[in-house]
């Protein structure tokens, strides 16, 4: 048996998830990585300096969540850290949001994190220690046009974090959210492309519009989000929080 702790990171194939996985690995965690894209997961695992195990799958399928936690326990140990990063955004005016679009946003951004949290909590409570960090969004705290489904799901995710933190406060398990603004990731690249397609402006100008939404005048780096995750992992005195990493967009 080893005392080396285990961390599960969802959406670990690229962007924020990859940055978090690498940082946790550098800090001595064995990491279990999940996402849909096997090649991206393999690339992340190969970059990790420590032990890494991949579990490809779609987290909107309940069986994937069970397989993820079963394999984590079998290969390493039940996770003491869970980073809920998997998610995706969609953009459409309210009348154009279909039932399918709405359901997908809730399934991926809210129900899948809930299922992962539900699986992780019993072992963490038994151990008397655990850290759960959800990658939420500034959309968890304020509304913007054309992202109603995403905003509703991310508001729900922050509510889940707060309720879970209150329930687990005296168990040694903390639950927090990190709420980034616009981050330099493939998801933001898709948002930039959507803006360019709708407006006819150049990709460069569309990217500049998103960067300008933040007072620091630039997109957030994935490493800056990962640093905030590690802050939550490193202390038991922070719980129930939605930590803004948004360049000063929302002051709270």
């Amino acid at each position: 048996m080893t005392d080396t702790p285990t961390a599960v990171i969802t959406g670990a194939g690229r962007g924020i998830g990859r940055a978090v996985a690498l940082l946790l690995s550098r800090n001595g965690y064995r990491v279990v990585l999940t996402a849909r894209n096997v090649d991206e997961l393999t690339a992340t695992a190969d970059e990790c300096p420590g032990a890494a195990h991949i579990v490809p799958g779609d987290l909107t399928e309940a069986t994937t969540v069970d397989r993820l936690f079963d394999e984590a326990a079998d290969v390493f140990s039940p996770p003491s850290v869970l980073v809920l990063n998997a998610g995706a955004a969609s953009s459409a005016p309210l009348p154009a949001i279909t039932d399918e679009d709405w359901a997908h946003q809730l399934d991926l951004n809210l129900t899948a994190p809930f299922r992962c949290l539900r699986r992780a909590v019993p072992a963490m409570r038994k151990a008397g220690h655990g850290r759960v960090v959800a990658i939420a969004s500034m959309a968890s705290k304020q509304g913007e046009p054309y992202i109603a489904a995403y905003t509703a799901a991310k508001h729900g995710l922050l509510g889940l974090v707060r309720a879970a933190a209150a329930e687990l406060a005296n168990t040694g398990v903390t639950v927090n959210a990190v709420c980034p603004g616009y981050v330099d990731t493939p998801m933001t690249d898709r948002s930039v492309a959507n803006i360019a397609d709708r407006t006819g402006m150049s990709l460069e100008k569309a990217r500049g519009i998103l960067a300008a939404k933040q007072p620091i005048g630039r997109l957030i780096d994935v490493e800056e989000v990962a640093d905030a995750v590690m802050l939550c992992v490193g202390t038991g005195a922070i719980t129930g929080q939605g930590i803004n990493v948004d360049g000063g967009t929302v002051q709270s």
Side-chain angles (χ1 to χ4, degrees), residues 123-165:
M124 290 181 176
R125 289 192 67 157
K126 183 178 180 180
H129 176 82
R131 300 287 183 262
V132 180
V133 187
I135 306 302
S137 170
M138 292 317 301
S140 297
K141 297 187 174 183
Q142 66 181 20
E144 287 194 27
Y146 309 119
I147 55 171
Y150 179 74
T151 299
K154 288 296 188 178
H155 268 66
L157 181 59
L158 184 55
L160 173 63
V161 162
R162 289 168 168 165

Coordinates of all heavy atoms in Angstrom, one line a residue, residues 123-165:
A123 N -16.4 7.8 0.4 CA -15.0 7.4 0.7 C -14.3 8.6 1.3 O -13.5 8.4 2.3 CB -14.3 6.9 -0.6
M124 N -14.5 9.8 0.9 CA -13.9 10.9 1.5 C -14.4 11.1 3.0 O -13.6 11.4 3.9 CB -14.2 12.2 0.7 CG -13.6 12.3 -0.6 SD -14.0 13.8 -1.5 CE -13.0 13.7 -3.0
R125 N -15.7 10.9 3.2 CA -16.2 11.0 4.6 C -15.6 10.0 5.5 O -15.2 10.2 6.6 CB -17.7 10.9 4.6 CG -18.4 12.1 4.0 CD -19.9 12.0 4.3 NE -20.1 12.2 5.8 CZ -21.3 12.7 6.3 NH1 -22.3 13.0 5.5 NH2 -21.4 12.8 7.6
K126 N -15.4 8.8 4.9 CA -14.9 7.7 5.7 C -13.4 8.0 6.1 O -12.9 7.7 7.2 CB -15.0 6.4 4.9 CG -14.4 5.1 5.7 CD -14.6 3.9 4.8 CE -14.1 2.7 5.6 NZ -14.3 1.4 4.8
A127 N -12.7 8.6 5.1 CA -11.3 8.9 5.4 C -11.1 10.1 6.2 O -10.0 10.4 6.8 CB -10.6 9.1 4.0
G128 N -12.2 10.9 6.4 CA -12.1 12.2 7.1 C -11.4 13.3 6.4 O -10.9 14.2 7.0
H129 N -11.2 13.1 5.1 CA -10.5 14.2 4.3 C -10.9 14.1 2.9 O -11.0 13.0 2.3 CB -9.0 13.9 4.4 CG -8.2 14.9 3.6 ND1 -7.9 16.2 4.0 CD2 -7.7 14.7 2.3 CE1 -7.2 16.8 3.0 NE2 -7.1 15.9 2.0
G130 N -11.1 15.2 2.3 CA -11.4 15.2 0.8 C -11.5 16.7 0.3 O -11.8 17.6 1.1
R131 N -11.2 16.8 -0.9 CA -11.2 18.1 -1.6 C -12.0 18.0 -2.9 O -11.5 17.2 -3.8 CB -9.8 18.7 -1.8 CG -9.0 18.9 -0.6 CD -9.5 20.0 0.2 NE -8.6 20.3 1.4 CZ -8.9 19.8 2.6 NH1 -10.1 19.1 2.8 NH2 -8.1 20.1 3.6
V132 N -13.1 18.7 -3.0 CA -13.8 18.7 -4.3 C -13.8 20.1 -4.8 O -14.1 21.1 -4.1 CB -15.3 18.3 -4.1 CG1 -16.0 18.3 -5.4 CG2 -15.4 16.9 -3.5
V133 N -13.4 20.3 -6.1 CA -13.3 21.6 -6.7 C -14.0 21.5 -8.1 O -13.7 20.7 -8.9 CB -11.9 22.1 -7.0 CG1 -11.9 23.5 -7.5 CG2 -11.1 22.0 -5.7
A134 N -15.1 22.3 -8.2 CA -15.8 22.3 -9.5 C -15.4 23.5 -10.3 O -15.3 24.6 -9.7 CB -17.3 22.4 -9.2
I135 N -15.1 23.3 -11.6 CA -14.8 24.4 -12.4 C -16.1 25.0 -12.9 O -16.8 24.4 -13.8 CB -13.9 24.0 -13.6 CG1 -12.6 23.4 -13.1 CG2 -13.5 25.3 -14.4 CD1 -11.8 24.2 -12.1
A136 N -16.6 26.0 -12.3 CA -17.8 26.7 -12.7 C -17.6 27.7 -13.7 O -16.9 27.5 -14.7 CB -18.5 27.2 -11.4
S137 N -18.0 29.0 -13.5 CA -17.9 30.0 -14.5 C -18.4 31.3 -13.9 O -19.1 31.3 -12.9 CB -18.7 29.6 -15.7 OG -18.8 30.7 -16.6
M138 N -18.0 32.4 -14.5 CA -18.6 33.7 -14.2 C -20.1 33.6 -14.5 O -20.9 34.3 -13.9 CB -18.0 34.8 -14.9 CG -16.5 35.1 -14.4 SD -16.4 35.0 -12.6 CE -17.5 36.3 -12.0
A139 N -20.5 32.7 -15.4 CA -21.9 32.5 -15.7 C -22.6 31.8 -14.5 O -23.8 31.7 -14.6 CB -22.0 31.6 -17.0
S140 N -21.9 31.4 -13.5 CA -22.5 30.9 -12.3 C -23.0 32.1 -11.4 O -23.8 31.9 -10.5 CB -21.5 30.1 -11.4 OG -21.1 29.0 -12.1
K141 N -22.6 33.3 -11.7 CA -22.9 34.4 -10.9 C -23.6 35.6 -11.6 O -24.2 36.5 -10.9 CB -21.6 35.0 -10.3 CG -20.9 34.0 -9.4 CD -19.7 34.6 -8.7 CE -19.1 33.6 -7.7 NZ -17.9 34.2 -7.0
Q142 N -23.6 35.6 -12.9 CA -24.2 36.7 -13.6 C -24.7 36.1 -15.0 O -24.2 35.1 -15.5 CB -23.3 37.9 -13.8 CG -22.1 37.6 -14.7 CD -21.2 38.8 -14.9 OE1 -21.2 39.7 -14.1 NE2 -20.4 38.8 -16.0
G143 N -25.7 36.8 -15.5 CA -26.2 36.4 -16.8 C -25.7 37.2 -18.0 O -25.3 38.4 -17.8
E144 N -25.6 36.6 -19.1 CA -25.2 37.3 -20.4 C -26.1 36.8 -21.5 O -26.7 35.7 -21.4 CB -23.8 37.0 -20.8 CG -22.7 37.6 -19.9 CD -21.3 37.5 -20.5 OE1 -21.2 37.4 -21.8 OE2 -20.3 37.6 -19.8
P145 N -26.3 37.7 -22.5 CA -27.2 37.3 -23.6 C -26.7 36.0 -24.3 O -25.5 35.8 -24.4 CB -27.2 38.5 -24.5 CG -26.7 39.6 -23.7 CD -25.8 39.0 -22.6
Y146 N -27.7 35.2 -24.7 CA -27.4 34.1 -25.7 C -26.8 32.9 -25.0 O -26.5 31.9 -25.7 CB -26.6 34.5 -26.9 CG -27.1 35.8 -27.5 CD1 -26.3 36.9 -27.6 CD2 -28.4 35.8 -28.1 CE1 -26.8 38.1 -28.2 CE2 -28.9 37.0 -28.7 CZ -28.1 38.1 -28.8 OH -28.6 39.2 -29.3
I147 N -26.6 32.9 -23.7 CA -26.1 31.6 -23.1 C -27.0 31.2 -21.9 O -26.5 30.8 -20.8 CB -24.6 31.8 -22.6 CG1 -24.5 33.0 -21.7 CG2 -23.7 31.9 -23.8 CD1 -23.1 33.1 -21.0
A148 N -28.3 31.3 -22.1 CA -29.3 31.0 -21.0 C -29.1 29.5 -20.5 O -29.1 29.3 -19.3 CB -30.7 31.2 -21.5
A149 N -29.0 28.6 -21.4 CA -28.9 27.2 -21.0 C -27.6 26.9 -20.2 O -27.6 26.3 -19.1 CB -29.0 26.2 -22.2
Y150 N -26.5 27.4 -20.7 CA -25.2 27.3 -20.0 C -25.2 28.0 -18.7 O -24.8 27.5 -17.6 CB -24.1 27.9 -20.9 CG -22.7 27.9 -20.3 CD1 -22.0 26.7 -20.3 CD2 -22.1 29.0 -19.9 CE1 -20.7 26.6 -19.7 CE2 -20.8 29.0 -19.4 CZ -20.1 27.8 -19.3 OH -18.9 27.8 -18.8
T151 N -25.8 29.2 -18.6 CA -25.9 30.0 -17.4 C -26.7 29.3 -16.3 O -26.4 29.2 -15.2 CB -26.4 31.4 -17.7 OG1 -25.5 32.1 -18.6 CG2 -26.5 32.2 -16.4
A152 N -27.8 28.7 -16.8 CA -28.7 28.0 -15.8 C -28.0 26.8 -15.2 O -28.1 26.6 -14.0 CB -30.0 27.6 -16.5
A153 N -27.3 26.1 -16.1 CA -26.6 24.9 -15.6 C -25.4 25.3 -14.6 O -25.2 24.7 -13.6 CB -26.0 24.1 -16.8
K154 N -24.7 26.4 -15.0 CA -23.6 26.8 -14.1 C -24.1 27.4 -12.8 O -23.4 27.3 -11.8 CB -22.7 27.8 -14.9 CG -21.9 27.1 -16.0 CD -20.9 26.1 -15.4 CE -19.9 25.5 -16.5 NZ -19.0 24.6 -16.0
H155 N -25.2 28.1 -12.8 CA -25.8 28.6 -11.6 C -26.1 27.4 -10.7 O -25.9 27.4 -9.5 CB -27.1 29.4 -11.9 CG -26.8 30.9 -12.0 ND1 -26.1 31.4 -13.0 CD2 -27.2 31.9 -11.2 CE1 -26.1 32.8 -12.9 NE2 -26.7 33.1 -11.8
G156 N -26.7 26.4 -11.3 CA -27.0 25.1 -10.6 C -25.8 24.5 -10.0 O -25.8 24.0 -8.9
L157 N -24.7 24.5 -10.7 CA -23.5 23.9 -10.2 C -22.9 24.6 -9.0 O -22.5 24.0 -8.0 CB -22.4 23.9 -11.4 CG -21.0 23.3 -11.0 CD1 -21.2 21.8 -10.6 CD2 -20.1 23.4 -12.2
L158 N -23.0 25.9 -9.0 CA -22.6 26.7 -7.8 C -23.5 26.4 -6.7 O -23.0 26.3 -5.5 CB -22.5 28.2 -8.1 CG -22.0 29.1 -7.0 CD1 -20.6 28.6 -6.6 CD2 -21.9 30.5 -7.5
G159 N -24.8 26.3 -6.9 CA -25.7 25.9 -5.9 C -25.4 24.5 -5.3 O -25.5 24.4 -4.1
L160 N -25.1 23.6 -6.1 CA -24.7 22.3 -5.7 C -23.5 22.3 -4.8 O -23.4 21.7 -3.7 CB -24.4 21.3 -6.9 CG -23.9 20.0 -6.6 CD1 -24.9 19.1 -5.8 CD2 -23.5 19.2 -7.9
V161 N -22.5 23.1 -5.2 CA -21.2 23.3 -4.4 C -21.6 23.8 -3.0 O -21.1 23.3 -2.0 CB -20.3 24.2 -5.2 CG1 -19.2 24.7 -4.2 CG2 -19.6 23.4 -6.3
R162 N -22.4 24.8 -3.0 CA -22.7 25.5 -1.7 C -23.5 24.5 -0.8 O -23.2 24.5 0.4 CB -23.5 26.8 -1.9 CG -22.6 27.9 -2.6 CD -23.4 29.0 -3.0 NE -22.6 30.2 -3.4 CZ -23.0 31.2 -4.1 NH1 -24.3 31.3 -4.6 NH2 -22.2 32.3 -4.3
A163 N -24.4 23.8 -1.3 CA -25.2 22.9 -0.5 C -24.3 21.8 0.0 O -24.4 21.4 1.2 CB -26.4 22.4 -1.3
A164 N -23.5 21.2 -0.9 CA -22.6 20.1 -0.5 C -21.6 20.6 0.6 O -21.3 19.8 1.5 CB -21.9 19.5 -1.7
A165 N -21.1 21.8 0.4 CA -20.1 22.3 1.4 C -20.8 22.4 2.8 O -20.1 22.1 3.8 CB -19.6 23.6 0.9

